[in-house]
Amino acid sequence: MSKPAILTVDDDPMVSAAISRDLRNRYGDDYLVVGARSGAQALAVLTKLALRNQPVALIASDQRMPGMTGVEMLEQARTQAPGAKYLLLTAYADTDVAIKAINDIGLDHYLLKPWDPPEERLYPIVDDLLDDWRQANPDHTSDVRVVGHRWSDRSYDIKTFLARNHVPYRWYDIERDAEGQRLRALADATVAELPLVLIPEGDTLRSPTTLDLAAALGLRTKAEQPLYDVCIVGGGPAGLAAAVYAASEGLSTVIVEREGPGGQAGQSAAIENYLGFPKGLTGADLTQRAVAQVARFGAEMVLARAAVGFETRGPVHAVVVDGSGEIEARALVLATGVSYRRLEAAGLDELTGRGVYYGATASDASLCQDDDVYVVGAANSAGQAALNLARYAKRVVLVARAATLENTMSRYLIDRIAAAPNIEVRCRSEVVACRGDGHLEALTLANRDSGASEEVESSWLFIFVGASPRTEWLGPDIARDDKGFVVTGQDLLIGQDHTPRWPLARPPFALETSVPGVFAAGDVRLDSMKRVASAVGEGAMSVYLVHRYLATI
């Protein structure tokens, strides 16, 4: 947490140095003492502190200054430092002005100059003012703040990135929150510059890319070594498990993750069938625990970087990373998981990120307070999202193309959905159109049997349909099926065209791909179970196979 600030304002260099010195001697351990030499400079300092979310506890200002008096400056300071205590330093001749300022601007105290000795004339007054300020501001934190429009796709992307990387933040909607309007005015930001990301003790970011945001937060965005024993592409459960086992067994290890660790599982509001957690746990909790283990054993994690190419160079495999060159490793584990398939519906693409979302984080639920929400999907991820959203929404409608949920969703989720009074399930239905001006306002549902359709009003549509692997960057050397899932192990010996796709005399290891030394684990692999527990198991197993492979080269 940043130290609260005490701002001193006086145009006389000797007086300015004296008041700053006396306050720093007494309060410097707990407060940041900052000096300004004019009212305009003081307001500029206050604006900078406000954008950094650094609280201002006290402003001690001289009254007689050229250009702007102390009272005039303090009156304007309320915008940048609401709640700060005001102390006016004045001569005897200005006591009437000071007394009037108590009523006019809420002046807390005035002090006649000089204040020597400070132990008798300065510190007792400041002590009382700071005590009052601390009692009124007990819970100040220096979280990242995001200022934007709730229907902005960029704002949603920024919030999702922060949530997935476990960075605490506070969200301010410029239409609903006075504080958001104040911060936007302080930053003098245009609509095109939103969202603003205000980082404590850092510069204000204006509509940043996730890479810029990661760098500003101090997250690692580049690999540190020229060559690793194993490079893991993807930071979901499979990739994190592989990193824990590889690093703990002495292999130099790096994970490349284009968004944030956790994958789809990391966005889950509740994982209730994972071994060892009888009450369940959130995807964020599971991810945070795994990331801590990864860090403990010394594996590197490179964030906000997408793998865009792959090459084999003799005994070394190279992953080409967007914007930062390449990472070389002796073995490679593909754990890129899957993303939700795009839904085909008229008008939907234009509204994606503006009321239409693929997947959902646990924090999305609170945004839907007292609204009607629609969820498309019939698997566990859709069921978990519907239950989480129902905690806040007035009504949640789960839209499924199938005639029943039994074949695709776990029984415990089906039972909980049936027991929820504000969740409605519409089977044999689909979303065929969306409309809205700037954000989703209504969608059209069609019955797959009768063909009948109806338009319903809603500002929220969350989509959980199917799975598409992220493997287009691998090129032709890595064998994949017609949907892009990576072929491994014994399936390589006879391909779909009945020709072998394995180049060596030895048989492939169980999770090995068509390129020796490259393994696949988790949802990206053909015929994987698509469950968190199996992904973790495959991630751990891949490291055992990496050891066997490294012993052969």
Side-chain angles (χ1 to χ4, degrees):
M1 175 173 139
S2 301
K3 287 182 180 180
I6 296 174
L7 175 64
T8 68
V9 191
D10 200 304
D11 65 304
D12 186 314
M14 293 184 65
V15 176
S16 177
I19 185 69
S20 295
R21 178 200 65 222
D22 288 345
L23 291 174
R24 194 172 288 115
N25 287 342
R26 173 83 168 198
Y27 306 106
D29 289 343
D30 299 314
Y31 294 86
L32 174 69
V33 179
V34 183
R37 298 283 297 279
S38 69
Q41 185 182 36
L43 294 175
V45 170
L46 289 172
T47 296
K48 185 175 183 180
L49 293 173
L51 292 174
R52 289 184 174 184
N53 202 24
Q54 188 152 5
V56 178
L58 174 70
I59 305 173
S61 175
D62 181 41
Q63 166 59 9
R64 293 192 177 187
M65 295 185 295
M68 184 185 301
T69 68
V71 170
E72 290 171 341
M73 185 277 296
L74 291 172
E75 185 175 16
Q76 295 186 47
R78 283 288 181 224
T79 300
Q80 294 97 325
K85 295 297 179 180
Y86 287 173
L87 175 63
L88 192 67
L89 306 176
T90 184
Y92 181 79
D94 295 322
T95 54
D96 288 345
V97 173
I99 292 171
K100 187 174 183 295
I102 293 173
N103 293 324
D104 291 349
I105 68 167
L107 181 68
D108 294 290
H109 208 287
Y110 67 91
L111 178 65
L112 296 179
K113 299 191 293 184
W115 55 86
D116 289 330
E119 290 79 8
E120 295 179 11
R121 301 192 57 195
L122 176 64
Y123 296 153
I125 293 169
V126 174
D127 283 347
D128 287 343
L129 293 175
L130 292 179
D131 285 345
D132 289 345
W133 183 85
R134 282 194 296 267
Q135 289 179 14
N137 298 269
D139 297 322
H140 176 81
T141 62
S142 294
D143 291 346
V144 170
R145 292 169 296 165
V146 182
V147 180
H149 192 291
R150 69 171 176 158
W151 302 124
S152 160
D153 52 349
R154 288 293 303 129
S155 293
Y156 184 80
D157 290 344
I158 291 296
K159 291 188 292 180
T160 300
F161 180 83
L162 292 172
R164 293 192 61 180
N165 285 282
H166 311 287
V167 177
Y169 72 91
R170 285 180 283 164
W171 161 249
Y172 297 98
D173 188 330
I174 59 170
E175 290 189 346
R176 295 182 168 189
D177 300 321
E179 178 67 2
Q181 296 166 9
R182 184 182 78 90
L183 292 171
R184 179 189 176 184
L186 287 175
D188 193 23
T190 65
V191 173
E193 292 176 317
L194 297 177
L196 299 175
V197 182
L198 309 178
I199 299 175
E201 303 179 9
D203 293 332
T204 297
L205 304 180
R206 300 167 187 264
S207 189
T209 65
T210 53
L211 181 60
D212 291 338
L213 178 57
L217 292 170
L219 302 177
R220 181 176 287 148
T221 59
K222 293 183 178 180
E224 294 188 349
Q225 300 182 33
L227 178 67
Y228 295 85
D229 291 324
V230 58
C231 173
I232 301 162
V233 184
L240 292 172
V244 167
Y245 279 87
S248 67
E249 294 171 8
L251 298 178
S252 58
T253 305
V254 62
I255 304 177
V256 181
E257 169 54 51
R258 70 172 188 172
E259 295 174 351
Q264 285 188 9
Q267 301 180 55
S268 177
I271 302 173
E272 299 185 69
N273 58 356
Y274 190 70
L275 184 66
F277 295 89
K279 292 184 178 180
L281 76 167
T282 66
D285 187 17
L286 178 63
T287 301
Q288 199 161 15
R289 292 167 184 260
V291 169
Q293 283 182 295
V294 168
R296 175 191 169 197
F297 290 118
E300 291 182 31
M301 184 173 292
V302 176
L303 295 169
R305 297 290 190 182
V308 295
F310 161 75
E311 298 177 8
T312 295
R313 302 165 182 172
V316 171
H317 305 292
V319 175
V320 181
V321 181
D322 182 24
S324 67
E326 57 193 29
I327 299 174
E328 291 189 334
R330 298 161 67 204
L332 178 63
V333 176
L334 307 176
T336 49
V338 294
S339 56
Y340 294 111
R341 287 204 302 265
R342 310 298 290 184
L343 184 66
E344 299 295 330
L348 186 143
D349 288 344
E350 294 81 358
L351 298 172
T352 298
R354 303 173 183 226
V356 175
Y357 307 101
Y358 288 88
T361 63
S363 59
D364 289 334
S366 61
L367 302 176
C368 307
Q369 183 82 43
D370 299 325
D371 289 343
D372 284 350
V373 178
Y374 286 76
V375 177
V376 177
N380 280 6
S381 55
Q384 290 162 347
L387 288 166
N388 184 49
L389 293 164
R391 295 166 51 221
Y392 296 90
K394 179 174 67 177
R395 183 174 67 123
V396 176
V397 180
L398 184 63
V399 181
R401 290 166 57 93
T404 178
L405 301 177
E406 271 72 10
N407 293 330
T408 53
M409 189 179 294
S410 296
R411 185 74 245 174
Y412 77 94
L413 287 173
I414 295 173
D415 292 342
R416 290 185 60 195
I417 288 170
N422 62 335
I423 298 181
E424 175 186 343
V425 179
R426 293 193 183 184
C427 292
R428 297 296 294 164
S429 297
E430 58 187 338
V431 174
V432 295
C434 299
R435 68 168 180 83
D437 183 10
H439 68 90
L440 178 66
E441 296 175 328
L443 48 92
T444 302
L445 300 178
N447 184 285
R448 302 193 71 208
D449 295 325
S450 67
S453 63
E454 63 170 320
E455 185 177 86
V456 294
E457 293 184 357
S458 179
S459 297
W460 305 98
L461 176 63
F462 296 94
I463 301 169
F464 301 82
V465 290
S468 296
R470 300 168 179 170
T471 56
E472 63 281 354
W473 59 278
L474 288 171
D477 292 339
I478 302 289
R480 305 186 292 281
D481 75 350
D482 55 2
K483 295 180 180 179
F485 289 96
V486 177
V487 182
T488 58
Q490 294 299 309
D491 291 336
L492 292 168
L493 298 179
I494 298 294
Q496 291 179 329
D497 55 358
H498 300 291
T499 59
R501 290 177 285 186
W502 177 247
L504 301 183
R506 71 163 175 87
F509 298 121
L511 301 181
E512 201 164 16
T513 71
S514 54
V515 174
V518 179
F519 300 83
D523 291 0
V524 72
R525 193 178 65 81
L526 179 64
D527 292 334
S528 63
M529 279 185 60
K530 309 298 187 286
R531 289 290 186 270
V532 175
S534 62
V536 170
E538 289 190 6
M541 180 180 174
S542 71
V543 175
Y544 165 73
L545 299 174
V546 164
H547 280 296
R548 293 182 64 185
Y549 165 74
L550 293 177
T552 68
I553 62 174

